[in-house]
Amino acid sequence: LPALFPNGVNVSLYEILGEQKIFVATYERGAGITLSCGTAMTASTTAAVLAGYIPANCPIEVCNRGGKVICEVHTHNDGLSTRLSGNATYEYAGTLSEESDGRIKFDIDNIFAAEITAYEEFATEVKREICGE
């Protein structure tokens, strides 16, 4: 495949888990298999609707190893639109600054340990439910 994709390629696979539920796994060039990718979850839901595997115009639960979101693919007279909604987790906050030599420096000001722990518990529960892990 290097001849076809000399700069690498992102690939997502999805599995239908129910009438309104799918699982998505994503490989991102330069990163490998990722826990979560919103773009892949949105694209996979859209592809599953277009292929007729899941219905349009209703909430679809989209799971991956990093958690889950809700996607809705709405059909319109002029096409379709897909919306993703879900949580975001703050892990840390910091300050960016530019050094005198032009390098960028990042200082961590705050680590959100309780939020990180809550997310890890949520992701573990999703993995247990979907993957049997």
Side-chain angles (χ1 to χ4, degrees), residues 45-101:
T45 304
T46 304
V49 166
L50 290 173
Y53 295 127
I54 55 176
N57 303 310
C58 64
I60 306 299
E61 188 176 356
V62 186
C63 304
N64 59 32
R65 292 186 183 275
K68 60 184 168 183
V69 297
I70 299 296
C71 284
E72 293 187 46
V73 180
H74 294 281
T75 56
H76 310 282
N77 291 337
D78 58 344
L80 58 85
S81 61
T82 305
R83 176 172 292 209
L84 176 144
S85 59
N87 69 312
T89 300
Y90 290 97
E91 293 191 8
Y92 52 87
T95 305
L96 282 175
S97 59
E98 185 175 358
E99 299 289 303
S100 59
D101 62 2

Side-chain angles (χ1 to χ4, degrees), residues 30-52:
I33 296 174
T34 62
L35 292 177
S36 185
C37 177
T39 303
M41 296 168 91
T42 303
S44 295
T45 304
T46 304
V49 166
L50 290 173

